[in-house]
Amino acid sequence: PLLLDIKVPYRIAHLLFTIFVAAIPSIFLNLPIGLLSNLYAEKKRKKALAASKVKIRGMDVLLSEKVMFCIVMVPALWLFYLFLLLFLTNLDYEATLLFFVSMPIAAYAGIMVTESGMVDYKDIKPWLMKLHPATRKRLRQLPKTRMALVQKLREFVGEFGPQLGEIYYEQEVDWKKVQGEASSDLSPPPSPNLGGQKEKKKNI
């Protein structure tokens, strides 16, 4: 319990830290591209669905258009920020070049940190539920429930298993033989010879 009480605040603090670290690069470098790519790809997807009789949802078009859009627009956004730094700020060329070179690194770091933050966000709910007394009570009862289920399963197998014959007793089973016997048992009976009856009626 002490370790659990320490782990939950650590998860929350780690989530807040990752959000803070990923906020600046994600907002300025990744968020515009993400929003624009969603709009562009969704427009292309609807157009492809209207022109095709085979596509159901067009998710392949959506993903491929997003990839192509990002390949073109991500460097374009970096160049746009470079021109803003050159013409709208008093930074020297060395500092401007440093900012431009660090943009790909910052964008990649923003993506990785955001992914880590999403993992922490999904993990927080189960950890918070574990702090609740009712949830802890259910977790303590879980091993007993599992053992009771195992016992019922063993009793079921012991009762109905011998009815399977070779499948239950033999260590190695010829499944092709078993499948052949099962298919022969399930095959419909041969139909009566109606042709012979018709011939008899004609002779009469």
Side-chain angles (χ1 to χ4, degrees):
L2 178 60
L3 182 60
L4 180 62
D5 295 339
I6 296 175
K7 200 166 188 177
V8 174
Y10 169 75
R11 289 277 185 175
I12 297 174
H14 188 267
L15 174 62
L16 296 176
F17 176 75
T18 52
I19 292 175
F20 176 77
V21 172
I24 296 177
S26 297
I27 290 174
F28 290 100
L29 297 176
N30 300 329
L31 183 61
I33 299 298
L35 295 177
L36 292 177
S37 65
N38 287 333
L39 295 175
Y40 176 79
E42 182 64 22
K43 183 178 179 180
K44 290 291 185 179
R45 184 185 72 87
K46 292 180 179 178
K47 185 177 179 180
L49 284 177
S52 176
K53 296 181 180 180
V54 181
K55 295 184 181 298
I56 300 176
R57 297 180 60 189
M59 298 304 295
D60 56 336
V61 177
L62 184 72
L63 295 177
S64 60
E65 291 295 337
K66 279 186 177 183
V67 171
M68 289 188 293
F69 183 87
C70 292
I71 290 174
V72 176
M73 293 304 298
V74 168
L77 181 64
W78 296 344
L79 292 174
F80 174 73
Y81 284 141
L82 176 63
F83 285 118
L84 291 182
L85 292 174
L86 287 174
F87 298 105
L88 298 181
T89 63
N90 295 325
L91 296 176
D92 54 6
Y93 290 107
E94 289 79 5
T96 303
L97 182 61
L98 179 61
F99 272 106
F100 180 73
V101 173
S102 63
M103 285 181 189
I105 301 174
Y108 178 76
I111 293 173
M112 298 304 295
V113 174
T114 302
E115 182 179 355
S116 177
M118 291 302 297
V119 172
D120 287 341
Y121 175 75
K122 293 179 180 179
D123 290 342
I124 280 179
K125 184 178 179 180
W127 287 112
L128 291 177
M129 291 179 63
K130 288 181 181 179
L131 294 176
H132 197 274
T135 306
R136 289 187 177 184
K137 184 178 180 180
R138 290 197 300 268
L139 290 176
R140 285 194 296 266
Q141 293 176 352
L142 186 60
K144 297 180 180 179
T145 305
R146 187 183 295 112
M147 292 300 297
L149 181 61
V150 170
Q151 184 64 29
K152 289 182 180 179
L153 181 60
R154 289 177 177 175
E155 293 176 357
F156 177 83
V157 173
E159 181 179 357
F160 294 99
Q163 300 178 13
L164 299 176
E166 180 184 356
I167 300 177
Y168 180 76
Y169 291 105
E170 297 294 333
Q171 295 183 354
E172 296 182 359
V173 180
D174 187 0
W175 290 106
K176 292 183 178 180
K177 179 181 177 182
V178 174
Q179 291 176 358
E181 294 176 354
S183 61
S184 62
D185 293 338
L186 295 176
S187 60
S191 58
N193 189 3
L194 299 178
Q197 295 180 0
K198 290 181 181 180
E199 292 179 356
K200 290 180 181 180
K201 290 181 180 178
K202 290 181 181 179
N203 294 330
I204 294 173

